[in-house]
Amino acid sequence: MQNKTTSVTVSYCTLHVVSDVCNYAFKALLFLIFYRQTCFLLSVNIFSFVFESSPKMVVQKQNFVVDLNKALVFQVGHLEEAYEEWVHQPIVSKECPRYFENDVLEFLTRTVWWAIPVIWLPVVCWCIYNSVRMGLSCPHLALMMVIGIFVWTLIEYSLHRFLFHIKTKTYWGNTLHYLLHGCHHKHPMDGLRLVFPPAATAILLTPFWNVVKLVSTPSTAPALFGGGLLGYVIYDCTHYYLHHGQPKTEVPRNLKKYHLNHHFRIQDKGFGITSSLWDRVFGTLPPSKMDSKSM
């Protein structure tokens, strides 16, 4: 009896230690990612100040032409009203255009696709573990995960439609939009600027986590948040595959056509990436080629 009690105690202590280690490791990861992004944003501000202050960098805004052989980020703002048309004239090339003259800033803009699952799937597992540790049953856990994934599909659609495709015409509006999403439409086959940088994701996760805590219980919050984060991982990997993969079956092949249609034919329709569900719900489903010809 004493041996059994000792075994249970040791198991409990081990579980507690593992939980603490995971907790601190997760916090350390978020801190490092946040620190990297803070340095990046600070560097952008410093270099933008230098750029705007240097008399050598002053250009004529009227009829401005972007030089694709130079760093692009601080050029596109000078397009003003012409930016919207310019950014939706895609350049189909797998070569990565240069964003910044500074090599450090340039490095921070590039993210390999596999970094997304490598970084965020362990966080999803950590969320699941915490919900289970707090007594959430497996059916309830599965339900929360599914709800989280479903909610993410709406977030995915909303961000893409209302933020990523916001209309801009000012210098800084164009510059920020280009960094956020315009670069992807101008260079849709750039594989290193396709998935969302983990540093930026970590910053955005903080308000989402706080919202989840407000609308759920302590035991369901990690599972719900983990489901949403899993939805994001699926989204980013799917997005990369739609641009660079060669689907053999009907469903992914149709999804690839659907997304490339958004890039090369009708940019103000078809905002869903992982599915066309919310495009159907909110009336942003692009017309078929037959419908377009009849119109």
Side-chain angles (χ1 to χ4, degrees):
M1 186 67 180
Q2 185 177 1
N3 291 337
K4 183 180 291 187
T5 303
T6 302
S7 177
V8 171
T9 302
V10 170
S11 299
Y12 175 79
C13 292
T14 302
L15 184 64
H16 185 71
V17 170
V18 170
S19 174
D20 287 343
V21 169
C22 292
N23 189 21
Y24 288 124
F26 175 63
K27 290 180 179 178
L29 174 64
L30 287 183
F31 172 78
L32 290 173
I33 293 175
F34 178 78
Y35 176 77
R36 181 188 179 196
Q37 183 67 7
T38 302
C39 293
F40 169 69
L41 293 176
L42 181 61
S43 300
V44 168
N45 289 332
I46 292 173
F47 276 88
S48 65
F49 173 77
V50 172
F51 180 88
E52 291 297 317
S53 303
S54 176
K56 295 181 180 179
M57 295 294 185
V58 176
V59 296
Q60 193 69 27
K61 293 183 181 180
Q62 189 175 6
N63 299 324
F64 180 79
V65 178
V66 174
D67 187 347
L68 296 175
N69 295 317
K70 297 180 180 179
L72 296 178
V73 168
F74 293 128
Q75 291 191 69
V76 298
H78 294 299
L79 289 169
E80 296 183 333
E81 291 87 352
Y83 169 77
E84 181 70 20
E85 180 182 358
W86 176 85
V87 82
H88 288 115
Q89 295 173 345
I91 298 174
V92 182
S93 172
K94 291 187 178 182
E95 293 183 7
C96 299
R98 191 169 184 89
Y99 281 16
F100 295 99
E101 292 291 346
N102 181 269
D103 291 335
V104 176
L105 294 180
E106 181 68 11
F107 171 76
L108 292 174
T109 65
R110 303 186 178 200
T111 306
V112 292
W113 74 267
W114 48 261
I116 304 304
V118 167
I119 291 174
W120 296 118
L121 285 182
V123 180
V124 173
C125 295
W126 181 81
C127 291
I128 294 172
Y129 165 76
N130 273 277
S131 284
V132 172
R133 183 174 61 86
M134 288 185 280
L136 195 67
S137 64
C138 288
H140 200 179
L141 173 69
L143 178 61
M144 290 298 102
M145 293 288 292
V146 170
I147 292 175
I149 294 173
F150 180 75
V151 171
W152 164 256
T153 62
L154 179 58
I155 295 173
E156 165 198 318
Y157 172 87
S158 301
L159 288 174
H160 193 187
R161 179 180 178 182
F162 298 110
L163 179 61
F164 294 174
H165 280 267
I166 191 172
K167 306 293 183 183
T168 64
K169 60 182 180 180
T170 65
Y171 177 85
W172 284 113
N174 292 345
T175 301
L176 292 174
H177 179 268
Y178 184 79
L179 279 170
L180 182 66
H181 191 63
C183 58
H184 177 54
H185 270 265
K186 189 63 182 179
H187 300 273
M189 301 308 293
D190 182 352
L192 293 178
R193 272 69 171 259
L194 207 158
V195 297
F196 211 60
T201 304
I203 293 175
L204 293 175
L205 285 179
T206 302
F208 281 120
W209 169 244
N210 290 327
V211 170
V212 170
K213 287 194 296 183
L214 285 176
V215 300
S216 56
T217 65
S219 61
T220 59
L224 189 61
F225 181 78
L229 187 56
L230 179 59
Y232 159 71
V233 173
I234 294 171
Y235 149 78
D236 240 354
C237 292
T238 300
H239 191 196
Y240 185 90
Y241 179 74
L242 295 181
H243 280 266
H244 296 279
Q246 300 297 328
K248 305 297 183 184
T249 56
E250 184 177 359
V251 173
R253 188 163 55 240
N254 289 338
L255 200 58
K256 182 182 179 77
K257 290 179 181 177
Y258 185 79
H259 183 60
L260 294 185
N261 180 68
H262 167 75
H263 274 279
F264 297 101
R265 197 164 69 92
I266 308 177
Q267 289 89 0
D268 60 349
K269 302 284 184 182
F271 298 105
I273 305 297
T274 53
S275 80
S276 60
L277 170 64
W278 298 111
D279 284 308
R280 297 177 187 276
V281 171
F282 294 112
T284 53
L285 195 70
S288 65
K289 291 185 179 180
M290 294 295 293
D291 292 337
S292 300
K293 290 178 181 179
S294 65
M295 292 172 65

